[in-house]
Structure formats: C-alpha cells, structure tokens
Amino acid sequence: MKAITYQPATDTFSLSELPQPQVQSDFDVVVRVNAVGLNPVDCKVNLWHSMVEGMNDTFVGGLDVSGTIVELGSEVTGWRVGDRVLYHGNMRRLSGGFAEYAVQDSRTLIEHPDVPAEVAAATPCAGWTAYRALLDKVDITQHRSLFIAGGAGGVGSFALQLAKHAGVETIITTASSAKHDYVKSLGATHVIDYREQDVVQQIADITGGDGVEIALDCVGGDNDKTCAAVLAYEGHLIELVKTLEPSNYDNAFLRGLSFHQLSLGSGHVNGEQARKDLVHAGEAFSALVEQGHIQVSELKSIPLDRIGEQLVAMRDQRTKGKIVAIVAD
C-alpha cells in the first residue's frame, strides 16, 4: 500500500510502499482509509515521537480517519466488515491514517456521520476537543460569558460555533485583524487584536470589570496567565496545550478559580471510561455537524502524496484553514 512515513533520524516525511497492516490486538480493526485530516500534532511528531514504542522509518501518522472496515479482530463486537466509521487515532500506535489502510481499536470508533468523508475527517481532533472542553469539562449551556484564546485556529473555530449554538451571550476571542470578520462569522461577539490591544484590559471593559465565567486556552505560551487573569469570581480555566500552574496566577485561591486540563488522546490510554468519553464526544459533535449547527470552514483537499509537504508547511505556519487528504473514493 502507499503511505506517508516519518523518519525520526532525519525528521522527514516520505512517500513509501508498505505491506497492508494487520490487526495487532483482538479489539483492532483494519480500515480502508477514505480521507484523513492533517493536524498540528501530526506535523510536530519531532517533538513527541519518543512516546511511540518501536518507531522506525516506517512509522505512519495520521489521527483523524474516515474509512471503511475491511478486517476484524477476534474480540470486536458491534462492527462488521463494510461499516463506514470515523475515529480519532492513538498517536502512540504505528499504523495511522496517512496510508491506504490503517489500524484502530474498535472500542473508539463511531458510526460515520451522514456527511462527505472529507468533512468528517476534518472534525475529530479539533472538534471533539472543543466539545469535551466546553460540554464535558464545563457545561457551557449554563454560562453566559466565554473567552477563547485563539479563536481562528482549529479548536477555537469549533469552540466559537459550539458556544454560539449553546446560546452564550458574550463570546470574546483573540485574532489578528485580518481574521476578525472570520471569527465573528463563527459566533464571536467581541474580537481583540492581541498584537495591538491589551487583552486583559479589553475584557475588563467588555464585562464591566467582572471578567468571564470560562476561559479556554487553545494557543499555549503565556496565554494560560492571560486566561486566568480575565476570569470572574469562581471562573473556570480550560487548558489544551500545557500543564497549568495555578500558583503562578494572581489570587487564584482567593478568587476561587477552577482549573481543567484536557488531552483528547488520553482517551486511548486510560481505560474503559476514557474510551467511552472519547466516543461520546465524537457522536455528539458529529450529530451537530450532520444537523448543520457546526460548519467546517476553509476546507482544502489534497491527494495522499502531498501530505508530507503539507505537514512541513503546517510546521512553518504556512497553511490556512483545514487540510484533508483524499485517499480513496
């Protein structure tokens, strides 16, 4: 089969010919890949490849897969050969979706939503993360104000739409001036140019000095400090990029702040409940996409053989919108 492989020693991606992978555990399925999404975590494999046991020059990445089951492990239940599925893959495994065939734990599959393969494959990493952050970690439907650091990115763009659909009154985000109209079209009620404006002061002005009930950091760096600083009394900070350090946030204890960490991929390595949480997020988010409440904007499709160059471009921040590789019809 054709596949895009990663070479750790040279930090390069190559188009390779590999044997079709086989099930590696009794719960696995082999999936014929129809479409696979490209995500920042895929291009940054140079930062995390040491986590993958047995990685060599034939490692295949690619987490977000739309495909069709072609083989079942002996303990697989609830699925049949020929079923169309969607999943967010486990980055610690060797046979990902940047190939004609991939291997996945059947217990983290969901039924393919009634949307085109490329639309479905654009959603798991970013969309399911946004859902888990705003609906599982905190119930956004019970809150009136939200700040998203990085609303124009993958997770941020879906989080804006989820907040708008939930009826949140005040949705504030940061974006460069060129992207202000874009994030407003997704649901932002206020946009702050982080390059030109004082984010903390702007949010204080917007909220009458009260701050926001929830802050979501989709960017990393020092944005956790900014998110903590703009929270109202007993507000919630959700961090997606780094480990939170509450002792570094001004008056975190006296203000009664709450802190939440979220790693979508942890759903693969923390037992049955973690797998169920991952599946639930996937099913719920996909339903919103099917119903038209969530849109995949600025979607670009490429062939399999261009995945490597696009991953390099993503690492250099030379891409815009969501990129999905079409592998098979």
Side-chain angles (χ1 to χ4, degrees), residues 176-304:
S176 61
S177 58
K179 297 178 180 178
H180 280 205
D181 288 342
Y182 171 61
V183 295
K184 286 181 180 178
S185 73
L186 298 176
T189 60
H190 301 79
V191 189
I192 301 168
D193 187 342
Y194 61 92
R195 296 171 176 170
E196 302 292 337
Q197 297 174 288
D198 183 324
V199 175
V200 175
Q201 184 58 55
Q202 288 292 314
I203 293 176
D205 292 345
I206 292 167
T207 62
D210 291 337
V212 293
E213 296 172 55
I214 299 169
L216 173 64
D217 178 18
C218 306
V219 181
D222 287 334
N223 279 280
D224 59 325
K225 296 178 182 178
T226 301
C227 285
V230 303
L231 284 174
Y233 164 69
E234 293 194 341
H236 298 263
L237 168 52
I238 310 167
E239 177 60 50
L240 306 180
V241 184
K242 58 189 285 188
T243 301
L244 288 166
E245 301 177 277
S247 60
N248 291 338
Y249 311 142
D250 187 39
N251 287 327
F253 178 77
L254 292 178
R255 293 161 60 205
L257 303 185
S258 296
F259 302 99
H260 310 267
Q261 299 278 173
L262 176 62
S263 167
L264 188 68
S266 65
H268 295 289
V269 294
N270 285 286
E272 181 180 3
Q273 186 58 51
R275 290 190 294 269
K276 288 181 177 180
D277 288 344
L278 181 60
V279 167
H280 169 73
E283 292 174 338
F285 189 83
S286 292
L288 293 172
V289 176
E290 282 185 327
Q291 295 159 11
H293 299 304
I294 301 292
Q295 304 291 327
V296 178
S297 56
E298 299 185 323
L299 178 61
K300 174 184 177 182
S301 298
I302 62 170
L304 173 67

Side-chain angles (χ1 to χ4, degrees), residues 3 11-12 18 55 77 79 94 151-152 214 220 248-249 251 255 279 292 308-309 316:
D11 188 23
T12 54
L18 299 178
M55 177 186 274
T77 58
W79 299 105
L94 301 173
I214 299 169
N248 291 338
Y249 311 142
N251 287 327
R255 293 161 60 205
V279 167
E309 67 183 71
D316 294 338

